[in-house]
Amino acid sequence: MNHIMKICFGGALMVVTLASAAQADEFKLSNNQRIACSRGLSAGKLNTATCKSYAYLFNVRTSEYFRCSVSLALTRDNKEVINVQTDGGCTKKPRIFETDSSYSFDATETEPPNTNSFFGPGGYAVWVSDNTVQKVRGCITISSGLGSDISKCLDMSFQ
């Protein structure tokens, strides 16, 4: 009898574990990382190179995502490296779809700013599709140049 109780308890524990695993969040890294670097001359013949890269971490169940960035700035003279600084982190963004499902995701950054940049540092595009039905949403976020980002999403129609 004790043996049967252990088997039943083990089976119940396995069902609870599988059910909670089915509801667990799953995160995937976007496939489209970019890096942009710039160089500048400082007073006293110092050279500074700065590189920045972005990636996206996506919750495939909820459609929430994080925009992650990392940067490295290197300052040197003609003989040696004087200073190296790094910075980075991830910022949580709102979910793309209101309901939980199984989603696929990708994102891309705009090119780095140049002299023709009207809206500041540019922006990024996010594409999310539902793996269970034919549903795709595209979102673009750009800097307004006034301190806040503007983000709009559009559901794709299929013809």
Side-chain angles (χ1 to χ4, degrees):
M1 183 71 152
N2 193 15
H3 185 62
I4 294 173
M5 291 290 283
K6 285 182 183 177
I7 292 173
C8 289
F9 180 72
L13 184 61
M14 188 166 44
V15 168
V16 169
T17 303
L18 290 174
S20 65
Q23 295 299 320
D25 290 347
E26 184 179 347
F27 293 93
K28 297 212 177 194
L29 188 65
S30 65
N31 296 321
N32 198 0
Q33 299 89 31
R34 301 278 189 209
I35 185 168
C37 297
S38 63
R39 292 191 321 182
L41 296 174
S42 302
K45 297 185 181 180
L46 296 178
N47 293 311
T48 301
T50 303
C51 293
K52 189 174 250 188
S53 181
Y54 297 93
Y56 296 83
L57 184 66
F58 182 68
N59 185 322
V60 299
R61 184 178 59 83
T62 67
S63 78
E64 290 176 325
Y65 66 101
F66 293 83
R67 183 175 181 264
C68 303
S69 67
V70 61
S71 66
L72 180 137
L74 174 122
T75 304
R76 68 174 183 88
D77 61 16
N78 289 337
K79 297 179 183 175
E80 65 181 335
V81 173
I82 297 171
N83 188 18
V84 175
Q85 295 178 337
T86 58
D87 191 20
C90 295
T91 304
K92 186 176 183 178
K93 300 295 184 178
R95 55 191 303 159
I96 303 294
F97 289 105
E98 297 76 28
T99 57
D100 290 357
S101 188
S102 172
Y103 296 106
S104 294
F105 172 87
D106 207 357
T108 186
E109 294 282 327
T110 61
E111 294 298 318
N114 57 39
T115 56
N116 297 326
S117 180
F118 181 73
F119 290 108
Y124 60 92
V126 172
W127 288 92
V128 179
S129 65
D130 191 324
N131 295 327
T132 62
V133 295
Q134 187 175 345
K135 183 164 50 170
V136 176
R137 187 170 286 173
C139 304
I140 294 182
T141 301
I142 63 169
S143 171
S144 68
L146 303 172
S148 62
D149 289 346
I150 304 297
S151 183
K152 293 292 181 182
C153 295
L154 181 66
D155 288 328
M156 299 293 111
S157 59
F158 295 88
Q159 301 172 3

